[in-house]
Amino acid sequence: QLQLQESGPGLVKPSETLSLTCSVSGEPISSGTYYWGWIRQSPGKGLEWIGSVYYSEYTYYNPSLKSRVTISVDTSKNQFSLKLTSVTAADTAVYYCVSQTSGVVDNWGRGTLVTVSS
Amino acid sequence: DIQMTQSPSTLSASVGDRVTLTCRASQNISSWLAWHQQKPGKAPKLLIYKASSLDSGVPSRFSGSGSGTEFTLTISSLQPDDFATYYCQQYDTSPWTFGQGTKVEIK
């Protein structure tokens, strides 16, 4: 059964880079079965799709965040990662890693709270 | 971006009630709509995709319908485990977008 688990710092300072990793079990990340993505949830903006990656090389980002986001894959560790630069308090949210099939979010990680504060 | 609007924001109901939640898209999304259930402190969980297809293991009391811009999620007989917040998600056009949610609470 596919499982996803987020990891990374829970506190990031304003203007710095938020970095999270998602560990995938139950499916080789390079199989091509799924897109791998990130979604965040905050009280102010609800659920927001950040971006996805497919086959390690095709990336798709939300235009609202595209200038600050990088999603990458480490097939040797069966992980994928999120980097969000120049963070502000507005980036405080619960971040979920997810799998997607044709755009449908079909599996969610447990989520990790990231707070942006000095 | 396609805007997804859910109504009502909160729905109060009793165990055994039939409840219907509505989701409207700002433009035609055909049947490319999913419903997710989220309980407090937990991650969302996929219930329905392609407007009316139940994900594996989802009880048959859940059903979805609609196409184009108007969609509904119906719970035929509300169970204690169903009190949660429900989100619709369109996947017709990137960026994929979600509604703001409907909270189903105990009356």
Side-chain angles (χ1 to χ4, degrees):
Chain A
Q1 185 178 351
L2 181 63
Q3 291 189 321
L4 306 108
Q5 178 66 60
E6 305 86 354
S7 59
L11 180 65
V12 181
K13 290 182 168 55
S15 79
E16 295 190 345
T17 297
L18 179 159
S19 296
L20 295 173
T21 296
C22 182
S23 298
V24 178
S25 57
E27 179 77 22
I29 203 166
S30 58
S31 70
T33 304
Y34 297 101
Y35 289 68
W36 307 101
W38 292 92
I39 289 170
R40 67 183 183 180
Q41 184 173 31
S42 61
K45 297 195 79 174
L47 288 162
E48 182 179 31
W49 172 73
I50 299 169
S52 303
V53 62
Y54 185 63
Y55 265 136
S56 305
E57 58 191 283
Y58 302 106
T59 52
Y60 310 87
Y61 299 132
N62 192 322
S64 67
L65 297 166
K66 186 174 183 177
S67 64
R68 299 194 291 132
V69 173
T70 303
I71 296 175
S72 59
V73 171
D74 186 337
T75 55
S76 67
K77 295 181 179 178
N78 219 42
Q79 295 175 335
F80 63 102
S81 298
L82 168 70
K83 290 191 187 301
L84 180 66
T85 62
S86 305
V87 297
T88 69
D91 295 309
T92 294
V94 175
Y95 286 75
Y96 295 99
C97 61
V98 301
S99 67
Q100 293 178 260
T101 304
S102 301
V104 182
V105 180
D106 43 23
N107 291 282
W108 299 73
R110 290 186 175 183
T112 187
L113 174 63
V114 179
T115 302
V116 178
S117 175
S118 55
Chain B
D1 298 3
I2 296 176
Q3 306 302 315
M4 307 301 293
T5 303
Q6 292 185 241
S7 60
S9 298
T10 306
L11 188 159
S12 299
S14 302
V15 172
D17 284 353
R18 178 183 180 90
V19 299
T20 299
L21 288 60
T22 298
C23 175
R24 289 186 173 87
S26 61
Q27 64 190 68
N28 187 343
I29 60 170
S30 186
S31 296
W32 305 119
L33 183 100
W35 289 95
H36 302 269
Q37 176 194 63
Q38 186 176 33
K39 297 179 182 177
K42 301 291 188 182
K45 171 192 166 189
L46 175 66
L47 293 178
I48 288 172
Y49 60 96
K50 208 172 179 185
S52 61
S53 297
L54 261 61
D55 196 30
S56 175
V58 175
S60 58
R61 63 182 180 271
F62 290 91
S63 64
S65 65
S67 67
T69 61
E70 189 145 341
F71 302 86
T72 59
L73 171 68
T74 299
I75 309 172
S76 61
S77 178
L78 200 62
Q79 298 302 302
D81 193 48
D82 302 337
F83 292 96
T85 300
Y86 295 84
Y87 295 94
C88 60
Q89 177 223 336
Q90 68 81 19
Y91 54 102
D92 177 76
T93 304
S94 181
W96 321 128
T97 49
F98 294 82
Q100 82 283 10
T102 292
K103 182 178 181 181
V104 177
E105 62 178 25
I106 301 172
K107 191 171 184 178

